[in-house]
Amino acid sequence: NEDELRQFRSRFGIPISDADVAGVPFYRPAEDSAEMRYLHERRQELGGPVPQREVRAEPLPAVPEEPFREFHQGSNGRSVATTMAAVRLLARLMRDPTLGRLIVPIIPDEARTFGMDALFRQFGIYSHVGQRYEPVDRETLLYYKEAKDGQILEEGITEAGAMSSFIAAGSAYATHGVNTIPFFFFYSMFGFQRIGDLIWAAGDMRCRGFLVGATAGRTTLAGEGLQHQDGHSHVLALPHPTVLAFDPAFAYELAVIIEDGMRRMFVEQEDLVYYLTVENELYSMPAMPEGAREGILRGMHRLEPGSAEVGRNGRRTTLLGSGALVNQALAAKRLLEERFGVAAEVWSVTSYKELYRNALAAERWNQLHPGEDRRVPWVTRCLGGGAGAVVAVSDYVQSLPYCVAPWVPGRFVALGTEGFGRSDSRAALREHFEVDARYVAIAALSALAREGVVPDEDVRRAIKDLEVDPEKVDPMLA
């Protein structure tokens, strides 16, 4: 009120008369006053009158190829999880003479779950005071080692705190002139669902780095139930403008994506965040097929063609798999070709978001350039050559694969993990969510029946032969 304004005026010695106070006028001190000199001096120290983002870090000259090579060769029959492959690749990058000092591994509290305890002794956990206690695991080979020069940020049970460290490291190229490269490993369930606002802030601040959602998927982390079974993080990642989201099935896909991400973010200096989901299911990793790199980065590439001999009868289908469920698509291919006379080709979909954004970009171009050569979305180009009915199986909710449905030629059916997770074996979870090889095969036969390619009797026979209960409760309602 007016009395308070007068007191404020008098307290700070502002030369405004009692008569003028009621009008709340602006007051600007003289240019040579102590106040104005102080303000100008402080502003000059800050670099000028307008805030600026000055990027002082020099781009990396190149991304070395050597750390990635072994992952292109497959696992030579050994069973490996993509989480294990991601950690092994991280260790290789940290030992690289060029990149190693720039890598910032960030872990909330799950290092041992992800198999990252092997990094403790080698690189140390950062502590500004060093290790002042004897860890309970001191007698083990991979004990909890803290050090003033430790490289790992082990933050404890605080995804928000760890994400804040990611933001600091991911923006250091601008704020400190250093190209630090953060790798934030977390339970995928606790990423976009729990700290999505901070991930949005990271994009808004033009951060760069890798978010790794480990033990991802709703059926790949056996026994963990509701708390950890993520079936929707890729859907939550869709609206984030600078986030590229990938769900690789194999070590070579993971290596190609990380290598390309490092090139784009730290050589070409694009302001991006890469979200990678990795699982803990063990299976043999194949070698990288020739010519697969472009498809891996654009969202999908072909793994296996359909049988030419079986396909002579015109009964053909295309199966799309993502993450660990690529193996269910491959198993369904064998069922369809060997037991039901349907040729099936299999594709690995590494990123529905990349397919979706590519399709939207093509649609926009076509709308704004009438009469010019039309652009064809990557998913349409891949599936346009007589794909037959297309069935997608994902460890995420069905809306994820259905986001590309408008651009899939022919009949399209998506299987996903609707509903809550539950504690059980992988096989039981996949039966519950209806995403195992049997359900993929039945979905393909059913789609072909609706197209008039196979009789309904073949679908009924498959349901019986594969021991599927058609009256079981819908998992979305269970």
Side-chain angles (χ1 to χ4, degrees):
N1 61 35
E2 193 171 323
D3 288 340
E4 291 167 339
L5 286 173
R6 286 195 182 93
Q7 291 176 29
F8 184 90
R9 180 272 323 264
S10 300
R11 166 68 179 79
F12 292 102
I14 300 171
I16 297 175
S17 67
D18 287 347
D20 292 336
V21 162
V24 197
F26 287 108
Y27 168 68
R28 180 184 179 91
E31 288 298 319
D32 60 350
S33 67
E35 295 88 351
M36 291 300 284
R37 289 198 305 271
Y38 174 84
L39 288 173
H40 283 299
E41 287 168 2
R42 299 290 80 73
R43 180 50 56 189
Q44 289 304 313
E45 287 182 7
L46 290 171
V50 178
Q52 297 181 62
R53 182 187 185 87
E54 183 180 352
V55 178
R56 302 185 304 278
E58 292 293 325
L60 298 180
V63 178
E65 296 180 5
E66 195 280 329
F68 302 94
R69 284 199 188 104
E70 73 170 85
F71 301 93
H72 297 170
Q73 309 307 315
S75 60
N76 297 314
R78 291 181 297 107
S79 292
V80 178
T82 48
T83 297
M84 295 165 59
V87 173
R88 181 172 175 82
L89 177 54
L90 176 66
R92 294 293 303 274
L93 291 171
M94 292 176 73
R95 289 194 295 268
D96 183 84
T98 304
L99 295 177
R101 66 185 182 85
L102 302 176
I103 304 295
V104 183
I106 304 169
I107 317 163
D109 194 48
E110 295 86 19
R112 295 193 189 281
T113 304
F114 304 153
M116 301 181 77
D117 45 349
L119 305 179
F120 289 170
R121 287 284 298 275
Q122 190 171 2
F123 301 104
I125 300 164
Y126 171 73
S127 169
H128 73 284
V129 295
Q131 189 138 24
R132 292 189 170 181
Y133 63 93
E134 182 171 293
V136 294
D137 59 354
R138 183 67 179 81
E139 301 304 317
T140 66
L141 178 64
L142 305 176
Y143 69 87
Y144 195 91
K145 176 189 173 185
E146 292 188 352
K148 291 181 179 180
D149 61 349
Q151 191 166 352
I152 301 166
L153 300 183
E154 219 285 354
E155 306 281 25
I157 305 177
T158 167
E159 282 82 8
M163 188 63 203
S164 298
S165 294
F166 177 92
I167 289 172
S171 59
Y173 72 93
T175 55
H176 297 290
V178 180
N179 274 312
T180 50
I181 306 171
F183 281 81
F184 176 17
F185 281 72
F186 52 88
Y187 274 123
S188 68
M189 186 71 160
F190 303 151
F192 284 85
Q193 175 170 300
R194 183 171 288 180
I195 52 165
D197 192 44
L198 284 172
I199 297 173
W200 185 275
D204 196 32
M205 294 170 66
R206 301 171 72 174
C207 289
R208 303 167 183 170
F210 295 93
L211 300 173
V212 185
T215 61
R218 192 152 276 164
T219 72
T220 60
L221 181 58
E224 290 287 352
L226 301 182
Q227 183 185 6
H228 294 121
Q229 289 173 2
D230 163 34
H232 48 279
S233 66
H234 278 280
V235 177
L236 299 178
L238 282 173
H240 288 250
T242 64
V243 170
L244 278 62
F246 290 89
D247 186 25
F250 303 119
Y252 70 80
E253 295 175 341
L254 188 68
V256 166
I257 293 163
I258 291 177
E259 182 180 10
D260 190 67
M262 297 187 77
R263 176 187 61 81
R264 292 184 64 179
M265 290 186 287
F266 302 103
V267 177
E268 298 180 3
Q269 294 192 298
E270 293 186 59
D271 299 328
L272 301 171
V273 171
Y274 275 64
Y275 177 51
L276 312 172
T277 46
V278 292
E279 295 92 20
N280 71 335
E281 183 171 356
L282 300 170
Y283 48 86
S284 178
M285 297 288 165
M288 180 173 165
E290 186 176 353
R293 180 180 295 271
E294 180 183 14
I296 292 169
L297 297 174
R298 298 191 69 170
M300 64 185 293
H301 67 105
R302 189 166 71 171
L303 291 178
E304 293 187 9
S307 168
E309 183 177 348
V310 175
R312 287 175 184 169
N313 60 14
R315 292 156 60 112
R316 297 188 306 275
T317 188
T318 299
L319 309 178
L320 312 181
S322 303
L325 292 195
V326 162
N327 293 310
Q328 299 301 315
L330 291 167
K333 168 189 170 67
R334 293 190 290 272
L335 284 175
L336 288 165
E337 294 187 346
E338 296 170 8
R339 297 180 59 175
F340 302 107
V342 174
E345 69 176 26
V346 180
W347 292 70
S348 174
V349 177
T350 53
S351 177
Y352 278 106
K353 181 170 183 178
E354 286 303 289
L355 295 177
Y356 178 63
R357 296 210 300 189
N358 172 262
L360 291 180
E363 289 285 354
R364 179 180 179 275
W365 166 271
N366 294 336
Q367 289 171 9
L368 298 177
H369 298 82
E372 299 187 35
D373 291 341
R374 295 180 63 80
R375 293 185 177 177
V376 180
W378 182 253
V379 65
T380 309
R381 287 171 56 184
C382 291
L383 301 177
V390 178
V391 177
V393 61
S394 166
D395 220 12
Y396 295 83
V397 293
Q398 289 163 284
S399 58
L400 180 64
Y402 271 133
C403 75
V404 300
W407 302 282
V408 174
R411 186 174 292 276
F412 181 50
V413 179
L415 305 180
T417 52
E418 303 293 335
F420 284 114
R422 55 188 58 207
S423 296
D424 214 323
S425 67
R426 291 192 182 100
L429 287 170
R430 286 166 184 166
E431 179 179 20
H432 168 73
F433 287 113
E434 302 174 1
V435 292
D436 65 20
R438 300 171 306 151
Y439 281 95
V440 177
I442 289 169
L445 290 168
S446 178
L448 290 171
R450 282 177 283 170
E451 293 291 303
V453 176
V454 303
D456 288 336
E457 179 55 36
D458 284 12
V459 187
R460 285 192 288 268
R461 179 171 62 85
I463 291 172
K464 181 179 179 180
D465 291 352
L466 297 175
E467 299 180 351
V468 167
D469 179 7
E471 305 305 324
K472 72 182 282 289
V473 177
D474 185 338
M476 192 186 312
L477 307 175

